[in-house]
Amino acid sequence: MIYAELAGGLGNQMFIYAFARALGLRCGESVTLLDRQDWRDGAPAHTVCALEALRIAPEVKILAQPGFAKAHLPRQNAAKALMIKYEQRKGLLARDWNRWERRCAPLLNLLGLHFATDGYLPVHRGPSRDFLAWGYFQGEAYFADYADTIRAELRAKESPAGPLAEEIRAAAFPVAVHLRRGDYCKPENAILQVCTPAYYARATAAAAAAHPEATLFVFSDDPDWAKENLDTAGLPAVFMPRGEAVADMNLMALCRGFVLSNSTYSWWAQYLAGAGRTVWAPDRWYAHTKETALYQPGWHLIQTR
């Protein structure tokens, strides 16, 4: 059995699903996602599980049992806890630990654990009867061999409908602009503060130069800030009302162009849009040198500094 612990918001949960689902398909094993429901205790790193609004495979189970890993996977859970404690003590958020995790991976995989925080770290199933995955697994490389399956299963159950969806469909070249604010603005998340108004101004200018016929559809968790601070480069702009996370991503995926924030949420919107999309993205994902596996071929990288 393959287990994976859910963490983060919708975008991160989708990456964890994609990783575990692809591993299960490769190994011919069933998959259970562990929803520890940390959000009930106010943990900022995890929000309510949103995957059940998507077309996830019926054979993938979601188990809402906070202490499951500790009780049923004690060896894997203990190794995970040691890794977390060590990396936190050494300053995980401020450094790139991919090389360290890569060195540890063979032993951890033998113990039945795959531990990966950032970047791409290949997984080897190993002989353990049960296998626990902990991490964010942010990158298509984790599931590229099952890309069509993942795209199909991570679409919303409800197709986008209504006047907003029709307005996007009617536009000559709809561009989704995602401005992530919220938790990104907190001092403790300074490493994520790279998408400034100057970045968005450059990105919309690039979109206008490439597609003068474009219309911007602006999605943000802070719509008022977006209206006051977004330079639309002279393009018509529709500031979308904030809705449910899955519904808004559904609308974004209707677009043909994407101005991304450094957020897995807008990453998935562009990915679900499929072939023929044009993407403008920040030239760095973090405010320091930590690497990411999120960049894809063909993206237009826009200066953030």
Side-chain angles (χ1 to χ4, degrees):
M1 172 73 77
I2 294 169
Y3 297 93
E5 290 193 345
L6 292 176
L10 175 61
N12 283 331
Q13 292 175 36
M14 292 168 72
F15 270 115
I16 294 165
Y17 174 93
F19 168 84
R21 173 67 166 147
L23 181 60
L25 289 170
R26 287 187 211 109
C27 300
E29 291 185 70
S30 54
V31 170
T32 295
L33 302 177
L34 303 178
D35 179 10
R36 300 189 315 176
Q37 299 193 317
D38 297 355
W39 57 273
R40 293 184 181 274
D41 300 321
H46 183 38
T47 57
V48 176
C49 180
L51 295 177
E52 290 172 334
L54 308 179
R55 300 175 185 176
I56 62 174
E59 59 266 33
V60 175
K61 307 303 180 185
I62 299 177
L63 181 63
Q65 188 173 330
F68 182 88
K70 186 175 182 180
H72 298 277
L73 305 166
R75 179 179 59 192
Q76 295 91 332
N77 191 69
K80 176 199 74 176
L82 288 173
M83 289 288 290
I84 293 172
K85 185 175 182 179
Y86 179 80
E87 293 191 349
Q88 286 178 339
R89 188 168 63 246
K90 293 293 184 178
L92 169 65
L93 292 180
R95 299 171 62 183
D96 185 352
W97 282 94
N98 185 265
R99 291 181 182 179
W100 157 253
E101 292 174 356
R102 189 177 294 268
R103 289 199 298 269
C104 296
L107 175 59
L108 295 178
N109 287 175
L110 283 173
L111 293 174
L113 173 69
H114 193 59
F115 184 98
T117 50
D118 284 291
Y120 174 62
L121 185 60
V123 56
H124 300 283
R125 173 63 178 85
S128 177
R129 184 187 68 178
D130 292 323
F131 196 81
L132 176 65
W134 186 93
Y136 291 101
F137 313 112
Q138 295 176 359
E140 187 189 18
Y142 284 112
F143 51 87
D145 48 343
Y146 290 99
D148 291 342
T149 298
I150 297 302
R151 276 197 178 95
E153 294 179 358
L154 290 182
R155 295 188 183 280
K157 289 180 179 178
E158 300 293 332
S159 298
L164 294 175
E166 293 309 312
E167 190 170 2
I168 294 173
R169 290 189 177 103
F173 191 84
V175 176
V177 181
H178 183 225
L179 291 89
R180 174 76 177 266
R181 299 278 295 164
D183 59 331
Y184 275 33
C185 298
K186 296 180 179 180
E188 60 267 30
N189 290 328
I191 62 166
L192 300 172
Q193 296 166 13
V194 301
C195 293
T196 62
Y199 158 72
Y200 285 107
R202 295 186 191 106
T204 56
H211 295 278
E213 76 282 16
T215 299
L216 305 180
F217 292 87
V218 183
F219 295 81
S220 178
D221 54 4
D222 191 346
D224 292 336
W225 187 93
K227 290 177 184 177
E228 293 178 5
N229 291 278
L230 179 64
D231 182 346
T232 64
L235 293 173
V238 179
F239 290 86
M240 306 293 280
R242 185 179 182 184
E244 295 294 328
V246 170
D248 282 354
M249 184 183 289
N250 216 15
L251 289 170
M252 291 173 70
L254 292 176
C255 292
R256 296 172 57 196
F258 296 84
V259 172
L260 304 188
S261 68
N262 57 329
S263 168
T264 57
Y265 185 84
S266 47
W267 190 97
W268 277 106
Q270 65 83 31
Y271 190 75
L272 294 177
R277 65 195 185 277
T278 303
V279 177
W280 296 272
D283 64 354
R284 54 183 182 148
W285 211 259
Y286 300 105
H288 54 45
T289 58
K290 182 180 282 190
E291 296 181 358
T292 179
L294 287 166
Y295 289 108
Q296 296 194 282
W299 282 14
H300 302 283
L301 302 185
I302 305 299
Q303 182 182 356
T304 57
R305 292 177 177 83

